[in-house]
Structures are given as C-alpha cells and as structure tokens.
Amino acid sequence: MENFTQWHITFLGLEHFGLRVLVLLLSIAAFYFSWLSIKIISPLAKRLLLLLLRASGILLILFLLFQPQVEQKEVLKLKNKLVFLLDNTKSMTLHGGDTDVSRLQLVKDFFKDNAAFVTELHNNFDIDYLSFSDSVKEISHHDIENGLVCDGTNTDVIQTLKLLKKRYENTPVRGYFLFSDGADTRELPSSVNKLEILSNSANDLSAPVFTFSPNNRFETRDVSISHISYNYFTFARNPWKARATIKILGYKNLRLPITLKQGTEIILTRMLETGNEKELEVDLSFSPYTTGSFLYTISLPLQAHEAITENNQVSFLVKVVRDKIRIMHVCGQPSWDERFLRGVLKSDPNIDLISFFILRTPTDSSGARSEELSLIPFPVDELFTQALNSFDLVIFQNFDYRPYDSSFFRFSHYLKNLRDFVTQQGGGFMMIGGDNSFSNGGYNGTALEEILPVRLSPEKDSIDNSRRKAVITDDGNRHPVTTFENNPERNLEIWKELPELDGCNITFPRNDDAVSLATYPSQGNPPLISVRDVGEGRSMAIATDSLWRWNFISIGKGGSNRYYIRFWQNAIKWLTKDPVLNPVNISVNKETALPGEEVQIKVDVLGSNYQPLKDVHVEIDVTNEFSGKSVFATHGTTGNNGQYISHLKHDKEGYFVVKAMAKKETNEIGRDHTVFRIASENREFKDLSIRRDLLGALATASEGRHFDLPTKNIKGTLSLENPPVVKLVGKRQISLWDNGYIFIIIVFIVSTEWWIRKRSGLS
Amino acid sequence: MGDASKFTFAQLEYSDGNWNTRPNAGKRLMWELIKRTSIEARIDIITLRLHDPELFEYPFLYLSGSREFSPFSEKEIQNLKLYLEFGGTLFIDDSMGKSNFGFDKSIRREIKRLFPNRQLERLSPDHSIFKSFYLLDQAYGRIREKPFLEGISIEDRTVIIYSQNDMGGAWAKDPLGTWEYEVIPGGEAQRTMAFRLGINIIMYALTGNYKQDQVHLPFILKRQL
C-alpha cells in the first residue's frame, strides 16, 4: 500500500460550451477594438502599457466568468483480496473410509503442503480467513494450524454466499477458496432446484470460487436413518405410519434388521436386504391403543467401520389422541332400556354410534315379503373381524349371539376376537341385562365370559323380577362410574332416591380383579353393576334392562334425569379410559426444548369426585429415557386449584421421562408420566456423503475450479489475476476566483488605465 | 325381565267424550307385534289418566276418540308436556276422521295448549315412521281420510303422532276372531297396511331415528326404488 497526491483544475462558471466560446470571441473583439482606439497614442511605450492593462482587465473578467477551481486528491494504492472459507460443521470431523484421516485434517494438510503458495498469496494479496456453517465467523491462519473447532450444526452454503456478497460488496475480491465436504443441510421445497440457486448465488459474487473437498478415497462408510416422515399425532386404535429413509454409504448387500420401539418395548422389526442400493425407503406401521405422548425409536444395527453411530437411531415423539369415541351397540330387541340409552349416546357429539338392533328373530313372522321390510343384513363378519379394531367400545344389550352361530358365520369365533379386542387392544366391552343376556344369551363358558366382571351360571340365569332399588357398594361410592356428587353421603342419598329397577339377571361376583359397584338387594345380593380392568382394556356388566327407569320415572316423580345421563357419561369415559378420569395428570409446556431452556412441569390432582384436590403431596422425578438416570427431582404440595407446578432447566440433550406420584398422607392417589425432549437442531449427520457435484457446480458457475483433497502442489495449477487497485482517501477543492485580491487588482488595472488615458487626452 | 319392562300399550282415558271407541284394537295390535317382531310386549292393554302417578311407567300412550271432549286440567297438560319432552310418545287416533269437527277439534285445541309455539305438521313420506320396520309410502287405517300422518317434533324426535284414518278400527277384532269393522275403500289390503303402520309407530317409539343411520340408508333406498 502506498499513498500519493493528484491535482486537477476545473471551471465552474459558464457551463455551456457555446457560451464559453462566445465569451472568448467577444473578449478577442474587445481587445481588437481597444487596440484600434489607442493606435494614435504615442509614444509606443505608453500605447503598449495601455494595451497591456486592457488585456489584463479582459483576462481578469474572463477569470471571474470561468470561475476556475483546483482539486487536490489523496489516493491509496491497494492489494487485491482473497477469501479462505472453511467449513466448521460437525460433518468435517468424520473420518474417511477405513482411514483415520478426518475431513478437517485434509484441509489442515492443504495449508501445510502448500505453505509456499499460501505465503506468496499473503505477500501479493490481502487475505481473509472465515469459518462457515449457518453463519460466518472471522478466524485467523493460526486457527487452522491450532485446530479449528467444528461445532456447527448446519451447513448452509446458500446463506454463506449471500453473506459474502454483502460483506465484500465494495472490495476487490479476486477469488474465494472454499474448503468443505458440501454436506449442505438446508432443506428447500421439492420444486426448487438447489444446484441452480447455488450456481446463481456463486455467480453473484463476481469472483471465481475455488472449491476443495475430500476425494473418493475419503468417502465415509455409514448406515444412517437420514429422514423420517410421520404424523406427530395419531388416533388411538388407528394405523399410524412412518416412512424411514435409509442411506447406505460404502457398504453393499447388507441384511439390516430395522426396529421400531415404543420406549424400551419393541413394537415391530423388519429385515432389509440392501443389495446395491444407496438409499432405501421403509414403511413402518402399527396401531397404538392408549392415548398420551410416547417416544418412538427407529434403529438400525451398527456396521463395521461406521463413521458415526448416532445416526443409526432416530427417536421422536408421537401424541396419540382420541378421535370421536366409536361405539358399536348391538341390541337383541327394541326396548325402553335401549331407547333411552340410545338417546343419551346419540345426543353426545363426541360419540360416533353404530347401532344394530335385532328387529325380528327367525321365529317371528312379519307377514310381508323381505323387500317390503326395512331390515338389513347384520354384517356380523365385517363387524367382528376387520372393523372391530376401529371401535372403542362394544355394547351387547340383551343380545343372544347363538342364532348367528351358524356354520357360515361361527359367531363363537368372533367372541374370541371380542375378548382379544379388550384384553390385547385396549377396547371396552359392556353387557347389559335382559332375557337374552349373560348365560341366558349362551355366554357361559365362552371367550366372552373370560372378560366379564361377573361369573355366569353354567345353566340359564335365573332372573329376579322383583322391583327393587339398586344399592351402591363402598367401592361404588368412590368409583368414578357411580359417583354422581362430590360428597359421599350425598352420593349415597342420591342412590337411595333413584327409582326402583324392574328385575335383575342373577350372576355371581368374581373374586379376582372385578369390582362390584352396585348390587340388587334380593336374595344373595347379586352384582348389579360391576367393572373390571382386564388385560389392556376394561369391561362392565349391568345385570338389568331397566336402568331407563332412572330417567323417565325420575322425571315423573318430579326429579330430573341428570343422574341417569351422568351414569352413562361416567361409564363410557371409564370404559374408554378417558384421561379425564385419571386422578393425576402431568403435562409439560414444551415437547421439545433447547438445551438450557426452562421447561414447566404441571401436575393436576383430582379427587374421586373429579374435583381439584388441594394439600396433596406430589413427587416429580425426571429421568433420561435411555440411561434411566435421574436428572431432576422435586416435591411439593398442590394448591387450591389442585395443581403443583415446577420448572426444570437442563443442558444435556436427550429424551426425558417425567414421572409424578401424588399421595395424601400415606394413601397414594395416583401416578402419571409424560415425555419431552431436549435437543438443538443438528442435521449434519443425516447424510454423510461428500457432495463433490454440488461444490463442482458452484465452482463452474463462478468460473472457478474444483480440487480434490489432498492437493499437494496447487501452485502449478492455479494462477490468480492481480490488477492494480487504487482508492481515493481524501479530496480538497481550492477556489481561485472568489476572493478580494482579484477585485482589488481589477479596480487597480481599470483605474490606472483610466488615469493614463486621461493624461493622454483620451476619454 | 319384569312385565313393566315390556312394551305396554297404554290407553289414555279422559273425563267425557268417547275415549274407548275400539276396545279390542290395542290387544290385537299387541298380538301382531309379538308375532311379527322381536319386541317383547304385554298382550293386555292398560288404561291411564294423565294425572295418574303411574303415567311415566309407560313411555307410549294411545289416545283415541270420536267426539269432542272437555279440556284437560292444567295439571294434566303440564304432566303430559313433561312426559313428551323427556321421552314419552303420544299416538292419537281419530276414530271419526272428520277434520275440524268433534274429536279432531278437541285434539287440536289440546295440542295448542300443550305446545303454543308449535303446530301439527304433515309427516313426510321420508319420515322414519314409514320405514322403522315395514317400508310404507303413506298412512292407512279403517278409512282413508288423510293419506298422511301429522305430528309434532321436539329436536329430531316426533313426540305426537296423529292419524285421522281410524287405525284402531282397522285393528279391532272381536273375541270370536271376526274383524269388527269393514275397511274402506281398500278392503283387506288396506287393513294389512294399517297393521304395518301400527307396528311401525311402535317401532319408531322404541328405536327413534335408528333407520336414518348411515348404515341402513343404502339398503332402504335400494328397496324403495
């Protein structure tokens, strides 16, 4: 860099060229006529003096008219700039093939192997060193020697080129040296051509880009799950699907078992034959049966010499929610019990009800041809095979299956499906009494009896036709199905006020996990309403077909039907495992948080009456999903709103299970859990391939060149233009005409000329 | 189970007028109901008055007559209104079938007292009543005064069904097994249809709009074509 000064004279007055010529011509004419007027004056010396004065006057007037100005410029001579760009994302730490050489080491080696070339560049150019990922940072040459920290989590070449254009907009850059593996992680819409955008951005730099990337020999060997497409929420009992994209680098003919897990439980495994494929897509599907947020993990086994192991496993959260509650209602005959129950179910907008009523039995004679009847075939096979899983609850109301147990339909087989629907798939089942229910319907000894909360008589039921009031049990007075009011005493009173029922199927209590909620106060106090958690699902038995009386008779007695409606609402919620009935409910305000970000954990505790429960001791424990190690534990007491809120900050990434347990004194009220994730976004290891195509296109578009690393002697193959560059650093303007001296000189010349002329006898 | 859980044909008795024009009609209809459908019903009919405490034991009421009758008491009207609004069904059968005269005049007066803001409307042939068991296209009875039924609906449930074709007259059979009244103008075919409509009305009272469920529509439409 050196400094020097330049001078320029400019004229500000009479900008028009023609005007300037006219003024000059007029001046010459004035001078000529002056000469003519003083020609007679002698001596010659006086004449020449006058002529000189006149000429001086005219020149000074011209000086004023042309307004001359001197410009002084301070100019700096500059060096051209070169920019070295180094990819500092995590993928640069990957080792190539079977070597122990990382991608970054190849970059470091370039500067070592071409030290003379780099020194020469330093002498002739002004050099900037920058690292880039999804942002650009200044570094020094020493950073490369000392070891660049590769902690960038996203490679965004397009964004980098845009930032360079802005940064060097008025700088004479003669070239960019870009060192990268080209693993650009920026995701663009499928309709956009990334190569085209990259090329355009490179072209906009107006300087060649020389790109450097590891050669074929350093291609990474890796098996990865590069992408998962899935619905982050799904409906219980509906198929959930995920599509995993598997990338295979450096391997052939692998047999890869791919596994899907929910938490630590394996849900399904599929075997993949990779052949020569570099990319495979795998569809995985299963039906969740319980609602909530769950952590799912898709994983592949590790292969020999894999560059990284982290991308063999992908975890993600899926929220399983309930759609409308789908109920299949099969009724053996139209009755008032069916009529009022259907009224409740149909009036609930959250229930999707499919009813099948047996309006005519084989022994009935309708007296009409079948086309004159509105009866439809009972789609037994369809309902109890493939369609069964789409329901949340199946109700058999006074229904005898045996007329459908023909050699064609074999309804008894469907009873096994129904048992499995409850025990394995978490469905709900309810049997309502009547002349065709329980063992009168032939269910004793069948698969269905296994799931009922009552034991059946090996023979036909005896039916107690006496009219009596149901009696709630101690368990029933606390159970969500039979709790109508908060206060237990009041609840007992309500049950006493309910109208009498009109008979009961005599069944027997089970001694295992079934709970009797109400009994019929006839001989032996047979169970009237019983419930049971059975396998994954729940079942309920109502041993009467006269519950409708709690509705209509209550109205007739001046009461209301609200307890009848509440009973059915409670029953359906309980049978379908509505989370509302869970006494302890835990939730987090963020499903995915950044490291160090605050996560709110809220625990709601309800009493058996569904009301918020205050002064309850709550314990919270947060553990790492995979290691099981506790990372946070706290405890507290619920307030008046039945809530306890805590906050957690954690720096480590991972999936975390939050468990809460609530207890009052020594009695445990309940437990709940949820899952959340702490993660910073890192897409670097989704695709480990070296994108020479992308870097090559970038170089071509900018009229640069692509080089494979290692490159030991670049000096012989690369020459750079280095034209001179100057820069104006200062400027000063000096006006020559607008000052008092010019005016005084003009006055002096004109006065002198006038005095001489007077003395010579001229006017 | 208990008799009270079975379908019971409950007939409404009122103070004057002629409330029991067809004493054998209900029983005959119950015979046919049991014979033709899976519904469990009691053969014997019972009679009730609107102020009876037993009224709400029977969610289906039959009201017939041929002459004008005195207005129900205010308490009876309130009781009947409660009965209808919370699940009961009232089937009214005009044995005379003469519009704006006699029984019809009294019935329309009482319905106006029951539901001042509603009025009897003609039930469309698409109404569930005409396809709850048999597929029918119009109303039938002993006479053919009106080939349609009228009714009052609350939300999606028709709580009052009114026929002016003397359906009881078509159903009635004496203890010796002889039809009590000639059916005109359609003869025995019309009687058959009157029974079918009677069964449909009971089936509707028990199942509501069940036949409007999506699963039934394709079958029913196919048969109606």
Side-chain angles (χ1 to χ4, degrees):
Chain A
M1 250 188 321
E2 55 181 290
N3 213 346
F4 61 95
T5 309
Q6 288 179 335
W7 296 89
H8 288 282
I9 184 157
T10 54
F11 296 96
L12 301 179
L14 300 174
E15 287 179 0
H16 195 274
F17 179 75
L19 200 57
R20 286 183 181 179
V21 172
L22 180 66
V23 168
L24 280 172
L25 290 174
L26 285 173
S27 303
I28 292 166
F31 185 73
Y32 174 71
F33 287 117
S34 295
W35 168 252
L36 289 180
S37 67
I38 60 173
K39 213 167 45 171
I40 54 169
I41 293 177
S42 58
L44 178 64
K46 189 185 273 185
R47 200 163 62 234
L48 287 175
L49 179 63
L50 281 172
L51 195 62
L52 179 66
L53 289 170
R54 180 59 58 92
S56 302
I58 289 170
L59 281 173
L60 283 170
I61 289 166
L62 283 175
F63 197 77
L64 284 176
L65 287 172
F66 279 83
Q67 299 177 8
Q69 179 177 280
V70 170
E71 199 172 72
Q72 181 195 19
K73 287 182 179 173
E74 293 292 329
V75 175
L76 199 63
K77 228 177 172 180
L78 293 175
K79 279 184 178 177
N80 283 299
K81 189 174 280 290
L82 291 178
V83 182
F84 280 78
L85 290 157
L86 278 75
D87 184 344
N88 72 330
T89 52
K90 289 186 174 177
S91 64
M92 292 298 284
T93 62
L94 294 172
H95 290 195
D98 295 334
T99 72
D100 286 332
V101 181
S102 72
R103 296 173 180 183
L104 184 68
Q105 183 61 46
L106 289 172
V107 177
K108 201 172 167 184
D109 289 348
F110 171 86
F111 286 93
K112 195 174 165 189
D113 296 340
N114 297 282
F117 173 73
V118 174
T119 306
E120 193 179 312
L121 293 181
H122 270 282
N123 291 336
N124 299 328
F125 293 91
D126 180 22
I127 297 182
D128 279 2
Y129 287 93
L130 303 171
S131 70
F132 75 94
S133 49
D134 49 6
S135 63
V136 172
K137 285 180 193 164
E138 279 187 33
I139 56 171
S140 71
H141 186 257
H142 296 297
D143 288 331
I144 301 167
E145 288 170 353
N146 297 337
L148 189 67
V149 178
C150 291
D151 56 357
T153 52
N154 286 305
T155 310
D156 193 341
V157 179
I158 295 171
Q159 177 68 10
T160 301
L161 297 179
K162 283 182 179 168
L163 290 171
L164 290 177
K165 180 176 163 51
K166 197 174 174 187
R167 185 185 180 102
Y168 296 110
E169 202 156 19
N170 298 312
T171 310
V173 179
R174 303 312 303 171
Y176 295 90
F177 288 73
L178 192 150
F179 297 83
S180 173
D181 55 11
D184 190 274
T185 54
R186 183 170 186 164
E187 289 177 359
L188 296 171
S190 57
S191 57
V192 177
N193 186 331
K194 188 185 246 185
L195 274 183
E196 195 178 316
I197 294 186
L198 266 173
S199 299
N200 291 340
S201 301
N203 199 30
D204 284 348
L205 291 177
S206 306
V209 181
F210 304 100
T211 55
F212 298 82
S213 66
N215 69 19
N216 279 329
R217 202 162 61 80
F218 293 90
E219 197 71 76
T220 302
R221 295 180 72 178
D222 188 56
V223 174
S224 66
I225 301 167
S226 67
H227 184 70
I228 301 278
S229 62
Y230 66 99
N231 284 331
Y232 73 93
F233 81 92
T234 186
F235 297 108
R237 239 183 300 288
N238 283 294
W240 170 88
K241 288 178 185 170
R243 172 164 288 188
T245 306
I246 314 293
K247 290 213 169 175
I248 303 119
L249 293 175
Y251 297 102
K252 282 183 182 173
N253 299 319
L254 292 177
R255 276 173 63 79
L256 283 177
I258 183 167
T259 307
L260 173 69
K261 288 196 283 189
Q262 181 181 321
T264 53
E265 182 191 351
I266 294 175
I267 296 174
L268 62 91
T269 301
R270 281 188 58 188
M271 185 62 74
L272 303 177
E273 304 278 353
T274 65
N276 291 326
E277 298 290 335
K278 290 190 170 179
E279 188 170 309
L280 288 172
E281 287 200 329
V282 191
D283 288 325
L284 303 166
S285 175
F286 83 105
S287 298
Y289 294 115
T290 45
T291 57
S293 287
F294 300 103
L295 180 72
Y296 292 92
T297 305
I298 296 177
S299 58
L300 295 168
L302 299 181
Q303 303 301 310
H305 305 294
E306 266 203 82
I308 53 167
T309 56
E310 291 94 323
N311 60 8
N312 289 47
Q313 175 171 297
V314 175
S315 294
F316 48 91
L317 289 170
V318 177
K319 187 176 273 184
V320 183
V321 297
R322 187 184 297 288
D323 192 5
K324 276 189 168 186
I325 297 171
R326 276 174 60 80
I327 298 179
M328 188 206 302
H329 183 195
V330 181
C331 182
Q333 59 187 211
S335 68
W336 295 122
D337 209 35
E338 159 274 308
R339 147 88 169 71
F340 282 95
L341 170 57
R342 185 177 152 83
V344 172
L345 300 180
K346 286 296 277 185
S347 65
D348 188 335
N350 293 318
I351 290 176
D352 185 11
L353 180 67
I354 309 287
S355 298
F356 290 94
F357 296 166
I358 312 304
L359 303 185
R360 191 185 68 161
T361 64
T363 56
D364 294 324
S365 170
S366 66
R369 290 173 288 127
S370 60
E371 58 266 30
E372 296 174 307
L373 297 166
S374 65
L375 309 182
I376 69 162
F378 185 18
V380 175
D381 186 54
E382 186 187 341
L383 281 178
F384 292 98
T385 53
Q386 66 266 34
L388 185 59
N389 286 348
S390 70
F391 291 95
D392 297 286
L393 172 64
V394 176
I395 301 174
F396 276 10
Q397 182 166 25
N398 199 18
F399 171 65
D400 182 350
Y401 76 95
R402 288 168 297 189
Y404 305 96
D405 198 34
S406 63
S407 56
F408 184 69
F409 279 131
R410 302 304 301 168
F411 204 107
S412 48
H413 289 171
Y414 303 139
L415 296 182
K416 290 175 186 159
N417 290 358
L418 202 49
R419 176 195 60 195
D420 295 344
F421 161 75
V422 175
T423 57
Q424 295 171 21
Q425 290 150 30
F429 176 75
M430 178 192 288
M431 184 173 283
I432 301 173
D435 294 336
N436 299 313
S437 289
F438 300 104
S439 55
N440 280 359
Y443 295 104
N444 47 310
T446 65
L448 207 57
E449 189 187 7
E450 295 172 28
I451 60 168
L452 284 174
V454 290
R455 279 189 299 118
L456 304 184
S457 164
E459 306 296 328
K460 278 194 164 188
D461 290 341
S462 55
I463 292 176
D464 185 336
N465 285 327
S466 60
R467 189 169 281 194
R468 297 170 193 273
K469 286 192 175 191
V471 176
I472 190 169
T473 64
D474 288 344
D475 287 334
N477 208 27
R478 290 194 299 268
H479 199 277
V481 170
T482 37
T483 305
F484 299 150
E485 291 287 349
N486 305 341
N487 185 321
E489 283 93 37
R490 175 70 190 128
N491 199 51
L492 280 174
E493 280 175 29
I494 289 164
W495 274 78
K496 285 176 186 165
E497 287 163 10
L498 288 172
E500 291 174 322
L501 299 174
D502 197 37
C504 173
N505 291 68
I506 306 299
T507 59
F508 307 100
R510 293 180 73 107
N511 294 324
D512 50 15
D513 48 358
V515 180
S516 176
L517 305 181
T519 58
Y520 205 63
S522 60
Q523 190 178 5
N525 292 320
L528 181 73
I529 301 169
S530 310
V531 293
R532 184 180 171 200
D533 279 288
V534 50
E536 296 293 314
R538 287 173 171 174
S539 67
M540 182 180 289
I542 299 172
T544 182
D545 66 350
S546 57
L547 281 194
W548 67 273
R549 295 170 60 82
W550 287 356
N551 182 340
F552 206 48
I553 304 292
S554 292
I555 298 289
K557 288 184 173 175
S560 84
N561 60 358
R562 70 173 180 273
Y563 297 123
Y564 173 81
I565 293 169
R566 186 169 295 173
F567 170 78
W568 282 114
Q569 289 171 339
N570 290 350
I572 287 158
K573 278 181 185 172
W574 186 81
L575 280 164
T576 56
K577 294 186 177 175
D578 192 315
V580 171
L581 292 184
N582 191 351
V584 178
N585 192 289
I586 189 165
S587 59
V588 289
N589 65 334
K590 288 185 174 77
E591 288 182 349
T592 301
L594 294 168
E597 194 178 10
E598 187 172 83
V599 179
Q600 185 197 69
I601 301 167
K602 187 172 79 175
V603 181
D604 287 283
V605 184
L606 297 176
S608 57
N609 51 13
Y610 310 114
Q611 298 303 307
L613 210 57
K614 67 173 182 175
D615 299 330
V616 172
H617 179 73
V618 176
E619 287 178 9
I620 294 174
D621 189 26
V622 182
T623 54
N624 184 289
E625 168 73 14
F626 296 111
S627 70
K629 197 175 167 185
S630 178
V631 297
F632 177 77
T634 186
H635 60 86
T637 307
T638 57
N640 287 337
N641 56 2
Q643 276 183 3
Y644 172 68
I645 293 176
S646 181
H647 295 89
L648 159 71
K649 276 185 186 175
H650 193 60
D651 293 331
K652 299 277 188 305
E653 293 185 28
Y655 288 90
F656 297 90
V657 182
V658 190
K659 290 179 182 166
M661 190 270 285
K663 63 180 179 182
K664 193 149 194 175
E665 292 162 1
T666 54
N667 296 326
E668 182 175 317
I669 293 169
R671 292 167 186 258
D672 193 20
H673 79 279
T674 188
V675 185
F676 75 99
R677 180 188 183 198
I678 295 178
S680 55
E681 199 178 7
N682 178 9
R683 297 197 290 267
E684 279 295 298
F685 294 147
K686 286 187 176 176
D687 183 358
L688 305 186
S689 56
I690 298 166
R691 296 296 302 274
R692 280 180 289 279
D693 58 330
L694 190 145
L695 294 171
L698 204 154
T700 306
S702 62
E703 298 181 356
R705 279 178 65 188
H706 175 69
F707 297 90
D708 279 345
L709 295 175
T711 298
K712 290 192 184 291
N713 184 14
I714 198 169
K715 193 174 179 182
T717 56
L718 186 66
S719 63
L720 294 164
E721 286 181 29
N722 195 7
V725 182
V726 292
K727 188 180 179 185
L728 182 69
V729 292
K731 194 164 76 171
R732 195 159 68 98
Q733 283 152 341
I734 305 159
S735 179
L736 299 176
W737 58 276
D738 58 344
N739 56 60
Y741 298 111
I742 299 293
F743 178 75
I744 291 167
I745 292 168
I746 290 173
V747 169
F748 173 75
I749 289 171
V750 171
S751 304
T752 308
E753 189 193 3
W754 177 77
W755 182 74
I756 293 170
R757 286 173 70 98
K758 279 285 177 193
R759 290 283 301 240
S760 304
L762 295 175
S763 58
Chain B
M1 214 156 276
D3 265 2
S5 288
K6 294 177 178 174
F7 181 84
T8 304
F9 194 88
Q11 186 163 0
L12 200 61
E13 183 183 344
Y14 46 90
S15 298
D16 54 2
N18 183 6
W19 65 270
N20 197 12
T21 53
R22 314 291 183 224
N24 296 318
K27 198 169 184 174
R28 185 70 240 161
L29 183 64
M30 290 302 99
W31 274 110
E32 295 297 329
L33 184 71
I34 293 166
K35 188 178 88 179
R36 299 180 189 205
T37 74
S38 63
I39 297 171
E40 290 285 312
R42 287 164 67 178
I43 296 292
D44 294 329
I45 63 169
I46 66 149
T47 56
L48 291 165
R49 298 181 74 98
L50 280 177
H51 57 259
D52 273 349
E54 297 277 289
L55 181 69
F56 284 80
E57 296 274 351
Y58 308 100
F60 179 88
L61 270 182
Y62 176 72
L63 169 60
S64 71
S66 58
R67 294 202 301 266
E68 275 192 62
F69 57 89
S70 301
F72 297 137
S73 71
E74 196 52 42
K75 187 170 184 299
E76 286 176 324
I77 285 290
Q78 290 308 319
N79 219 23
L80 181 57
K81 189 173 181 188
L82 202 63
Y83 176 93
L84 296 173
E85 285 177 340
F86 283 88
T89 304
L90 173 65
F91 173 47
I92 306 169
D93 190 14
D94 182 357
S95 302
M96 176 180 271
K98 201 163 185 181
S99 294
N100 296 318
F101 184 78
F103 182 76
D104 179 61
K105 198 172 173 183
S106 297
I107 280 297
R108 289 180 192 277
R109 178 195 67 217
E110 295 307 302
I111 288 176
K112 193 149 194 156
R113 289 179 65 205
L114 271 173
F115 301 111
N117 300 322
R118 298 173 192 269
Q119 53 187 357
L120 281 165
E121 288 178 350
R122 184 188 294 204
L123 302 185
S124 116
D126 283 339
H127 195 283
S128 293
I129 283 176
F130 295 109
K131 53 191 171 197
S132 58
F133 190 76
Y134 294 100
L135 294 173
L136 302 171
D137 54 3
Q138 59 170 293
Y140 298 92
R142 179 184 61 79
I143 53 176
R144 199 179 286 173
E145 172 67 16
K146 288 179 177 171
F148 55 84
L149 296 171
E150 291 174 274
I152 282 186
S153 301
I154 297 174
E155 294 175 352
D156 64 344
R157 190 170 67 86
T158 302
V159 298
I160 295 177
I161 303 157
Y162 182 30
S163 162
Q164 286 195 263
N165 296 323
D166 188 15
M167 290 180 68
W171 302 334
K173 208 174 200 181
D174 67 23
L176 298 175
T178 309
W179 297 117
E180 289 186 44
Y181 303 98
E182 190 184 350
V183 179
I184 48 175
E188 290 312 304
Q190 187 172 316
R191 192 190 305 278
T192 299
M193 292 302 184
F195 270 108
R196 290 183 183 183
L197 182 57
I199 287 169
N200 269 19
I201 288 169
I202 291 168
M203 193 64 87
Y204 175 75
L206 286 165
T207 63
N209 286 329
Y210 161 62
K211 284 293 173 186
Q212 298 283 16
D213 284 2
Q214 198 60 35
V215 69
H216 297 269
L217 289 178
F219 293 93
I220 292 170
L221 286 172
K222 194 175 169 186
R223 287 177 189 171
Q224 284 178 328
L225 283 174

